[in-house]
Amino acid sequence: DWIERVAHVPVDDSGEAADVCLIEVGGTVGDIESSIFFEALRQFQFRVGDDNFCLMFVSLVPVLSEEQKTKPTQHGVRDLRSLGLSPKVIFCRSTQRLEEATCRKISNFCHVPPTNVISVHDVGNVYHVPLLLLEQNVHRIISRELKLEAQMEVENPNMKEWTDMAFALDGFKDSVQIALIGKYTSLSDAYLSIIKSLKHASIACGRKLDLVWVEGTDLESTDENGEEKTDKADFDAAWEAIRAADGVIVPGGFGNRGFEGKMLAANYCRTSGKPYLGVCLGFQAMVVEYSRNVLNWKDANSAEFDEKCDHPVVIFMPEIDKDNMGGTMRLGARDTKFTHQHEDVCMSTAQILYGGADTVSERHRHRYEVNPDRVDEIHNAGLKFVGRDTTGTRMEVAELPRSEHPYYVGCQYHPEFQSRPLKPSPPFHGLILAATGLLDAHLEKAKASI
């Protein structure tokens, strides 16, 4: 019931249900935790009919002694069929392109046509994978299995721009080094959208991304008890990484751990002219740091960490319930209006990066916001809140004028959620442009077309 209901939810502005709904069942066939999902799919296939259900199986084809082994695939399909599910397409991961004999063997023993055995072998970069699938006619296989031939607008999609990007990436010589300051750096998947957005922006700038992980607490000179650290090895290494990086990003997060380190990094970038992008909590770190060191509100803080401070420059949003934490965040796409130019009548850097748009829609995920009662003082002191919500009371984008800093930008929303390989998120694109010395030329070109 849930699958069928979600499959009919519109995914774009048309208001119509999607033609195809992709469902992934992770793990390995035979895992007890995934058995209920396989049973749900077994029943689902009869409810919707064979023409509306195309099961695809991903399997490993290891290469041992220069021979491609098909036994893992055969056993996986056998276990799957024992659950009442028979795949129509088999994707085979391997270090090498599948040999014709291997495809025939998998076809014979797994009950699929040879054309439906797809080789997904190692390639130079992940962006070659769609080209592999196109080369093996996966789009035609799907349209045939789901009876969508009449709805296919073109026989082959135009992948020229994507192809150019994939092959160009293989030839990049120069790199750009970005320091990512977080609190979950031991688990890179926690920042997967951030990483992908940085890669998209780096590709657009013709650079390989060299990402350096920095734990926020390592930038602090004191430990969790407030005592001076005796072992400064991690502290020194973290600050050396910040100084050596071409740019710095502080992504979103929750909790007090590492927040002082993020503010110290924001301060260093602001005063040294190093490109900086703050997202969500990284945006709030900019505001707190500026309040402390420019407005001299020494106890300025976020109410998330100190509710009793005299200068709470970041506060809990009034419409959010403090006692119930489940489903209480400000979520989803919201409009941001670019409301302010700089004193020299220059359009803000953020607005230029967004192509001069007056309003942009970006996705949000937060409970705290810049204190509306402190906005004017902070804005007039120099940290410009150039983007605000449609009411004008909720701060969305802050930056320093380009006359003061090459790129010091923060946003309350999460622009990484809408970044795409051929259309990088504007704030991330701006960071990489600034880190590579290409921002000024890009902005001048963009202004000329606005």
Side-chain angles (χ1 to χ4, degrees):
D1 291 340
W2 182 88
I3 292 174
E4 199 162 8
R5 185 174 69 253
V6 171
H8 286 86
V9 175
V11 294
D12 56 24
D13 296 334
S14 70
E16 299 179 356
D19 294 313
V20 178
C21 177
L22 180 65
I23 304 164
E24 178 186 3
V25 180
T28 304
V29 177
D31 287 349
I32 191 168
E33 60 265 30
S34 59
S35 59
I36 58 171
F37 300 109
F38 287 121
E39 174 59 20
L41 289 178
R42 186 192 69 79
Q43 297 180 29
F44 184 70
Q45 66 182 330
F46 299 115
R47 175 186 295 190
V48 299
D50 189 62
D51 290 347
N52 294 306
F53 186 83
C54 180
L55 186 68
M56 300 182 175
F57 182 62
V58 180
S59 181
L60 175 68
V61 178
V63 179
L64 301 175
S65 301
E66 299 184 358
E67 182 181 356
Q68 295 177 341
K69 300 294 184 180
T70 64
K71 279 294 186 289
T73 304
Q74 293 182 48
H75 282 279
V77 171
R78 182 197 64 187
D79 291 345
L80 194 61
R81 295 182 73 185
S82 72
L83 299 173
L85 293 164
S86 185
K88 295 180 178 178
V89 182
I90 300 176
F91 292 97
C92 299
R93 278 290 291 119
S94 185
T95 56
Q96 304 171 2
R97 181 184 288 272
L98 287 194
E99 299 170 359
E100 187 176 343
T102 305
C103 288
R104 285 199 306 269
K105 189 173 183 180
I106 292 173
S107 170
N108 289 334
F109 289 102
C110 296
H111 199 59
V112 297
T115 55
N116 288 21
V117 179
I118 308 301
S119 176
V120 189
H121 47 275
D122 290 355
V123 288
N125 63 71
V126 70
Y127 303 109
H128 283 288
V129 174
L131 304 178
L132 275 183
L133 304 184
L134 182 67
E135 176 189 329
Q136 297 172 82
N137 295 312
V138 170
H139 58 301
R140 295 180 185 173
I141 294 171
I142 294 172
S143 67
R144 182 178 67 246
E145 296 292 346
L146 295 178
K147 302 297 184 286
L148 296 173
E149 293 101 326
Q151 295 170 250
M152 295 284 284
E153 296 181 359
V154 292
E155 187 173 353
N156 286 310
N158 184 356
M159 298 287 284
K160 183 183 185 308
E161 193 176 1
W162 186 281
T163 303
D164 292 343
M165 174 198 68
F167 282 96
L169 182 55
D170 290 333
F172 287 167
K173 304 297 182 186
D174 298 327
S175 62
V176 56
Q177 189 175 90
I178 301 296
L180 188 154
I181 304 171
K183 63 182 293 187
Y184 317 111
T185 53
S186 60
L187 180 64
S188 62
D189 277 2
Y191 299 105
L192 188 59
S193 295
I194 294 287
I195 296 169
K196 293 297 184 183
S197 298
L198 290 170
K199 286 184 177 180
H200 299 162
S202 299
I203 292 171
C205 294
R207 299 291 194 278
K208 293 185 291 186
L209 176 65
D210 179 10
L211 190 61
V212 179
W213 297 91
V214 178
E215 186 73 26
T217 52
D218 290 344
L219 297 170
E220 301 168 4
S221 59
T222 56
D223 58 23
E224 62 271 16
N225 299 316
E227 299 178 358
E228 195 74 16
K229 292 178 180 177
T230 54
D231 185 357
K232 294 292 187 78
D234 290 341
F235 174 83
D236 292 338
W239 277 107
E240 179 57 34
I242 296 295
R243 286 189 288 266
D246 299 310
V248 171
I249 183 170
V250 179
F254 297 93
N256 192 38
R257 181 169 64 85
F259 185 69
E260 291 291 331
K262 294 172 183 178
M263 283 195 296
L264 290 168
N267 173 265
Y268 172 79
C269 291
R270 179 177 62 81
T271 55
S272 67
K274 189 175 291 291
Y276 173 97
L277 174 62
V279 175
C280 198
L281 187 62
F283 163 73
Q284 295 172 8
M286 291 170 57
V287 175
V288 176
E289 183 279 325
Y290 201 84
S291 300
R292 288 185 183 182
N293 297 309
V294 177
L295 284 88
N296 291 315
W297 298 341
K298 297 304 181 184
D299 70 333
N301 211 334
S302 167
E304 181 180 2
F305 313 130
D306 185 0
E307 292 184 344
K308 297 180 180 179
C309 67
D310 291 334
H311 294 90
V313 294
V314 176
I315 62 170
F316 204 82
M317 289 186 290
E319 71 269 29
I320 303 297
D321 186 348
K322 289 187 178 182
D323 298 322
N324 298 309
M325 299 302 285
T328 59
M329 289 192 288
R330 181 174 180 246
L331 295 170
R334 314 275 178 143
D335 285 345
T336 293
K337 296 181 67 176
F338 290 108
T339 55
H340 290 70
Q341 294 183 327
H342 295 302
E343 280 78 0
D344 55 2
V345 200
C346 282
M347 186 181 291
S348 66
T349 299
Q351 187 173 9
I352 298 173
L353 289 170
Y354 278 99
D358 294 324
T359 303
V360 296
S361 177
E362 293 280 10
R363 290 164 59 184
H364 294 68
R365 189 173 184 267
H366 65 113
R367 292 190 183 94
Y368 290 82
E369 65 173 337
V370 176
N371 188 344
D373 295 336
R374 306 286 181 177
V375 165
D376 289 343
E377 292 172 274
I378 299 171
H379 181 89
N380 293 334
L383 183 61
K384 302 301 184 181
F385 293 109
V386 296
R388 310 185 182 200
D389 77 339
T390 52
T391 68
T393 59
R394 189 155 278 160
M395 301 303 107
E396 297 283 8
V397 183
E399 66 177 50
L400 289 178
R402 292 190 299 282
S403 58
E404 298 180 20
H405 197 286
Y407 192 79
Y408 192 74
V409 175
C411 48
Q412 181 61 72
Y413 50 75
H414 288 265
E416 68 272 19
F417 292 152
Q418 297 198 78
S419 181
R420 299 293 182 268
L422 294 175
K423 189 179 179 181
S425 165
F428 284 85
H429 193 197
L431 174 66
I432 302 300
L433 285 166
T436 54
L438 302 173
L439 181 61
D440 288 343
H442 177 87
L443 295 178
E444 289 301 318
K445 183 178 179 180
K447 282 193 294 184
S449 62
I450 293 174

